[in-house]
Amino acid sequence: MNIDLKKVIFFVVIIFLSCKNKTMKYEANLQEKVSRLKKLFLNNNENKKTVKWDSGSIPEIYIYDGKKLDVKEYQFYLGQSKYYPVFYLNEKNKVKIVVLEPLNEISQKLTDEFNEKVFVKNKQSPLFEMKDLEGELYNIDSLKGKVVVLNFWFIACPPCREEIPKLNLLVSDFMDKEVIFISITDDSKKRLNLFLNKHPFNYKHVSDTEIASNLKISSYPANIILDKNSKVMYFENGGRDDIYDKMKPVIQEALNN
């Protein structure tokens, strides 16, 4: 995939601050692997480019002590807000290895501020405006009186793709109800349409590079349910095997209220 550096620049800042006076030493075998790659720094020309992460090839992911992680474990560790990802690129500027390093005092403070959520349960939703692939405009005013289910995702995210069949079941269950399902991705419209032609995803689809960052969505997938008055009833970061069972009763409760 093409990852807009606006999504990772915050972590690059953390890396720069954390490594300015010292370099983290990894487990010996891992250190040997990354020694052949380029480390992404804020003061490097890479910050003017787009980092490429192949959708069909997930990079190797490790913790600094050499433990190898799968994508779900990676998201779990990131969700603890105790680690930040360091990206190692090959000569084509594609991410080949990601290493989680522990936060120091400076980077911990920055991460806590960055991870502050704007979708908070039992609070009003932040204002937003977006247009789907068919040109229909959505905002808080136009959605008032409907239960709104939002999904933030991107094509190269395996946990995001794994949730799609279960999210489609939710759409089917509430097809004749006052519920609108909207997915938001920063993948291009062309790329999104190519994906949807092969992999049905029955939400309304928005392709936009700014909405997720504006709404401080920093972990994917993210699923949100708003009641008829745009109050947040559900917010969940990271993929879940039981997403259908978790979300269905909340949607029903929102409809009943």
Side-chain angles (χ1 to χ4, degrees):
M1 68 168 288
N2 288 339
I3 302 178
D4 190 330
L5 276 183
K6 289 181 181 180
K7 279 189 173 182
V8 299
I9 197 67
F10 167 78
F11 291 110
V12 177
V13 173
I14 289 180
I15 293 166
F16 178 67
L17 290 173
S18 300
C19 301
K20 190 173 182 180
N21 297 317
K22 66 181 182 67
T23 300
M24 168 68 67
K25 287 294 183 183
Y26 304 149
E27 179 271 335
N29 291 334
L30 177 57
Q31 189 68 45
E32 172 64 21
K33 282 189 173 186
V34 300
S35 67
R36 300 190 292 269
L37 301 170
K38 295 184 293 184
K39 191 173 186 177
L40 183 63
F41 278 111
L42 178 63
N43 59 343
N44 187 296
N45 285 334
E46 302 303 338
N47 68 341
K48 299 176 183 177
K49 301 177 182 179
T50 299
V51 179
K52 295 180 180 179
W53 186 328
D54 288 339
S55 60
S57 177
I58 302 301
E60 295 182 43
I61 305 171
Y62 297 89
I63 292 186
Y64 71 99
D65 65 4
K67 178 184 178 183
K68 192 170 184 179
L69 306 176
D70 61 28
V71 174
K72 287 188 177 181
E73 290 173 319
Y74 172 68
Q75 288 194 324
F76 170 77
Y77 278 101
L78 279 184
Q80 293 182 318
S81 298
K82 296 179 181 179
Y83 301 89
Y84 61 87
V86 182
F87 303 95
Y88 288 90
L89 317 178
N90 65 10
E91 67 281 356
K92 296 181 179 180
N93 292 319
K94 291 186 177 181
V95 179
K96 302 305 290 183
I97 293 178
V98 181
V99 181
L100 291 179
E101 293 189 7
L103 297 169
N104 62 22
E105 184 177 347
I106 295 174
S107 53
Q108 180 70 67
K109 182 175 184 298
L110 289 171
T111 298
D112 289 344
E113 292 174 357
F114 181 77
N115 286 335
E116 182 183 0
K117 295 178 175 60
V118 297
F119 287 104
V120 179
K121 190 174 179 181
N122 296 323
K123 301 291 185 181
Q124 287 299 120
S125 166
L127 297 176
F128 59 81
E129 185 168 281
M130 51 193 172
K131 188 177 292 186
D132 70 15
L133 295 180
E134 305 301 321
E136 186 168 354
L137 185 68
Y138 305 99
N139 55 39
I140 293 297
D141 289 336
S142 68
L143 294 170
K144 194 171 181 65
K146 296 181 180 179
V147 176
V148 180
V149 182
L150 303 174
N151 173 254
F152 290 85
W153 72 299
F154 58 95
I155 291 171
C157 163
C160 301
R161 298 196 304 268
E162 287 174 14
E163 283 189 348
I164 290 175
K166 297 164 187 173
L167 299 180
N168 283 342
L169 281 177
L170 289 172
V171 177
S172 178
D173 287 348
F174 295 99
M175 186 177 301
D176 299 323
K177 307 295 182 181
E178 286 296 302
V179 184
I180 185 163
F181 295 83
I182 306 172
S183 87
I184 303 98
T185 179
D186 70 347
D187 289 297
S188 69
K189 292 180 180 179
K190 179 179 179 181
R191 181 173 170 79
L192 181 56
N193 278 319
L194 287 172
F195 176 85
L196 295 174
N197 284 338
K198 295 181 179 180
H199 308 280
F201 186 4
N202 300 327
Y203 278 42
K204 302 290 186 179
H205 294 284
V206 173
S207 170
D208 192 290
T209 60
E210 302 292 335
I211 292 176
S213 59
N214 289 344
L215 296 176
K216 293 191 176 182
I217 302 297
S218 57
S219 181
Y220 297 83
N223 288 287
I224 299 156
I225 299 172
L226 309 178
D227 72 8
K228 297 174 185 177
N229 295 308
S230 302
K231 186 174 73 175
V232 179
M233 294 191 67
Y234 180 91
F235 181 94
E236 185 76 45
N237 269 330
R240 296 187 61 106
D241 293 333
D242 60 351
I243 193 67
Y244 173 84
D245 295 326
K246 288 287 185 180
M247 291 179 64
K248 182 173 181 177
V250 180
I251 296 172
Q252 189 61 61
E253 180 184 354
L255 281 170
N256 293 339
N257 290 342

